[in-house]
Amino acid sequence: MKTNKEQKFACPICEARSILADAISEEVKAAAQIYHLANHWRGAHETRELSNFQAEDLTKASLEKFDSDTAKEAAWYQQYKDAIDAHQAATKISAAAREEYHARLKVHTDTRKPKGCGC
């Protein structure tokens, strides 16, 4: 099965519509990734909060656990922030694809004339 990027379109409007559909799909997937990673980060944040409370006993093990949980929470947060950046990039691509689609469609619609107008 060919993806839209591999297909050859005779119609420039259909090609632009296909590119737009792909771009919107990528944008939606990027948004889903933000949600997914936000949930992982929230879990890591809660774990870190618990280990912070437990580190009040000042044992070596509890302090090491807090440091470890802090590093994990920071890593999940970075992935979450990276997903936000990826979504912003996908949004720009989607917006550009929409503009291209509308530009191609306008070329077609600007040439339409009413039937029987004699112009």
Side-chain angles (χ1 to χ4, degrees), residues 35-49 73 76-77 80:
Y35 179 77
H36 174 79
L37 291 170
N39 284 322
H40 278 291
W41 170 74
R42 287 184 63 207
H45 178 75
E46 293 300 321
T47 299
R48 179 181 179 267
E49 289 296 310
E73 185 265 348
W76 279 115
Y77 186 76
Y80 164 71

Side-chain angles (χ1 to χ4, degrees), residues 18-32:
S18 174
I19 292 168
L20 175 59
D22 288 345
I24 290 171
S25 177
E26 290 301 315
E27 187 177 7
V28 170
K29 287 190 281 186

Side-chain angles (χ1 to χ4, degrees), residues 6 9 17 23 30 32 39-40 42 44 46 51 55-56 83 107:
E6 296 169 342
F9 292 91
R17 185 180 297 129
N39 284 322
H40 278 291
R42 287 184 63 207
E46 293 300 321
S51 66
E56 292 295 320
V107 168

Side-chain angles (χ1 to χ4, degrees), residues 16 19-20 23-24 91-107:
I19 292 168
L20 175 59
I24 290 171
T91 298
K92 288 178 183 175
I93 292 168
S94 178
R98 184 172 183 272
E99 287 179 25
E100 177 65 19
Y101 168 72
H102 283 286
R104 290 185 187 190
L105 186 61
K106 184 175 181 340
V107 168

